Amino acid sequence: MEIAIIGLPQCGKTTIFNAATRGAAEVVAYANKPNIGVAKVPDGRLDVLEGMFKPKRTVYAEVTYLDIPAAPEGLGKTQGISGEYLNFLQRADAILIVARAFEDPSVPHVAESIDAFRDIDNMLYELTFADLEILERRLKRVDDSFKGARGTERDALTKEQATLERIKAELESGVHVRDQTVTEDEKRLLSGFQLLTSKPLIVVVNAGEDQLDQIADMETRLATEVEGSNIKTAALCGKVEMELAQMGQDAEEEADFRATMGVTGESGLNRMISLSYAALNLISFLTVGEDECRAWPITKGMAAQQAAGKIHTDLERGFIRGEVMTYDDLCSCRTLAEVRKRGLLRQEGKTYTVQDGDIMNILFNV
Ligand SMILES: Nc1nc2c(ncn2[C@@H]2O[C@H](COP(=O)(O)OP(=O)(O)OP(=O)(O)O)[C@@H](O)[C@H]2O)c(=O)[nH]1
Ligand SMILES: [Mg+2]
């Protein structure tokens, strides 16, 4: 699952990408090749389990980010998203928009003034505009296919045309495809077009290091003006986060550094990564042991047998049952033996819907 990072030129995409992936992609003006990297999904439960089991390794879930250089023709000026750039976005599972709030006269801005919320609106419009173009192209193809079509083929085309016209009209009135009501049939039809406004969206405001005290206000404004069903938002300072990531110090030092910078609570970066994971509709089940404590990403609603297949195909094929306890029960009992004693270890079958934070041991036979 990949999340494409987009935004106006020089808004801090690569900086935030580096912070999230703890990478060192070059932050250079108008970079022109995409960077791919993975970010560990922060999970406080794994940190606690690590302390309990002292495993040889602890493995966090990951999300993959794609840092795409700004389109050569420039975004945010309604010149359209097209070509290779559009292909990148269509292939992505979610889109992350970065909008610049930091003030820095040495970094040029296409609009020559800084207004993150204006830029967010423009980016959202760019996505809408790209979808309208995709829909128009398809409608034209449908129109051409009418010549010579008859019977059931003609009926199918008529139906497709009506659907596309309706979606287009709603999009024109400002409703993203993800917020439109579509039937399962229509969903299937639309999945072929990879419309950008049907994808989950994360919107991040990149604040300056001198705006740390404004981050909370920015988040409040994001929550009221931008957030929606399947649009998640966060504000953070990309530059500070990248410097912290590249220093690579331990958690305590990092907390101290944050405190001296006046940043308290969960870091915006961690929230951005967690929100990205949630936007992809992913949750984690956990496995524990002396070898390894690990978070396994699964799609929300997945059944136990299928989830077991994430660990190994043999576990899915030969699935007998899962022994499941909740993370909270393990925490309050402290040991596996105590969980058993109190009758909190459940036996679950193939169709059990795995929950976020379930600690699961799979019994199988191949
Ligand atoms: N002062 C300040 N500068 C920042 C911040 N974030 C990014 N910058 C600077 O802005 C410039 C552009 O940052 P990048 O991360 O390369 O931006 P980008 O969006 O990847 O740029 P392109 O890929 O060229 O479109 C660099 O000089 C960064 O150091 C920030 O939070 N504060
Ligand atoms: Mg860049």
Side-chain angles (χ1 to χ4, degrees):
M1 292 258 199
E2 282 177 3
I3 300 184
I5 303 177
I6 64 166
L8 293 177
Q10 300 282 287
C11 65
K13 299 180 291 295
T14 303
T15 304
I16 288 176
F17 169 85
N18 277 336
T21 61
R22 308 214 157 215
E26 221 176 323
V27 180
V28 288
Y30 312 109
N32 58 12
K33 57 178 199 306
N35 300 304
I36 294 187
V38 294
K40 275 189 201 169
V41 179
D43 193 332
R45 299 169 303 198
L46 270 186
D47 304 333
V48 172
L49 294 171
E50 184 173 33
M52 268 163 117
F53 288 88
K54 311 264 183 298
K56 292 197 192 93
R57 59 178 180 274
T58 303
V59 184
Y60 293 79
E62 291 175 343
V63 286
T64 303
Y65 288 106
L66 206 60
D67 169 32
I68 318 173
E73 58 275 24
L75 277 178
K77 289 185 276 183
T78 324
Q79 291 171 349
I81 299 174
S82 58
E84 197 188 359
Y85 193 76
L86 178 62
N87 286 338
F88 269 128
L89 297 190
Q90 285 186 292
R91 275 204 306 272
D93 300 289
I95 292 174
L96 188 149
I97 293 176
V98 174
R100 166 179 173 179
F102 71 87
E103 307 262 357
D104 185 342
S106 71
V107 180
H109 189 295
V110 281
E112 280 161 19
S113 70
I114 308 295
D115 182 345
F117 285 81
R118 169 202 63 202
D119 294 348
I120 291 169
D121 279 346
N122 284 341
M123 291 305 298
L124 293 177
Y125 185 69
E126 287 292 342
L127 299 180
T128 304
F129 193 73
D131 280 355
L132 287 172
E133 289 202 321
I134 295 171
L135 288 170
E136 266 154 31
R137 270 201 301 276
R138 181 63 201 169
L139 275 163
K140 182 150 187 320
R141 294 267 292 277
V142 171
D143 208 40
D144 291 345
S145 313
F146 264 118
K147 297 179 203 105
R150 40 186 62 80
T152 51
E153 200 190 336
R154 210 178 169 82
D155 293 344
L157 286 171
T158 310
K159 209 166 142 196
E160 177 171 351
Q161 192 179 39
T163 302
L164 297 184
E165 290 286 7
R166 198 194 72 231
I167 305 245
K168 185 169 154 251
E170 272 196 73
L171 199 52
E172 275 163 345
S173 70
V175 185
H176 280 186
V177 175
R178 82 176 78 72
D179 293 325
Q180 297 186 17
T181 318
V182 289
T183 64
E184 285 304 313
D185 271 357
E186 291 172 339
K187 239 184 228 162
R188 226 164 296 130
L189 169 73
L190 289 177
S191 70
F193 306 136
Q194 295 281 17
L195 296 172
L196 303 185
T197 69
S198 71
K199 295 179 192 292
L201 192 66
I202 305 114
V203 177
V204 174
V205 168
N206 183 18
E209 51 283 17
D210 51 352
Q211 297 171 320
L212 293 172
D213 56 341
Q214 296 165 40
I215 284 183
D217 288 343
M218 290 176 185
E219 294 214 315
T220 310
R221 186 162 171 207
L222 280 167
T224 45
E225 291 179 26
V226 182
E227 216 162 275
S229 64
N230 264 318
I231 303 186
K232 309 201 183 281
T233 61
L236 53 87
C237 175
K239 202 166 188 179
V240 170
E241 296 288 353
M242 180 168 110
E243 279 164 13
L244 275 169
Q246 288 174 347
M247 278 192 252
Q249 71 275 65
D250 64 31
E252 207 169 309
E253 276 174 319
E254 184 167 328
D256 283 350
F257 182 82
R258 279 183 197 283
T260 55
M261 298 290 294
V263 205
T264 48
E266 193 197 16
S267 86
L269 183 71
N270 276 353
R271 202 163 45 257
M272 179 191 100
I273 300 170
S274 299
L275 290 173
S276 302
Y277 195 60
L280 292 170
N281 204 24
L282 296 173
I283 57 170
S284 301
F285 75 89
L286 310 168
T287 52
V288 294
E290 280 157 16
D291 262 356
E292 179 182 271
C293 288
R294 183 161 181 163
W296 298 89
I298 55 167
T299 306
K300 215 172 176 175
M302 194 177 270
Q305 183 172 19
Q306 226 186 327
K310 295 285 169 191
I311 302 178
H312 197 283
T313 46
D314 282 353
L315 271 63
E316 182 170 358
R317 221 158 27 95
F319 186 93
I320 300 171
R321 63 175 190 278
E323 296 180 322
V324 183
M325 64 194 126
T326 66
Y327 167 78
D328 288 339
D329 283 344
L330 178 59
C331 282
S332 58
C333 294
R334 307 303 301 166
T335 64
L336 293 175
E338 186 65 19
V339 173
R340 279 181 202 276
K341 204 172 121 200
R342 293 200 210 162
L344 294 170
L345 190 70
R346 288 175 278 129
Q347 306 296 322
E348 300 285 5
K350 292 177 180 177
T351 59
Y352 166 69
T353 305
V354 179
Q355 305 295 312
D356 185 49
D358 274 353
I359 298 173
M360 193 151 68
N361 177 39
I362 313 286
L363 305 180
F364 70 107
N365 181 17
V366 282

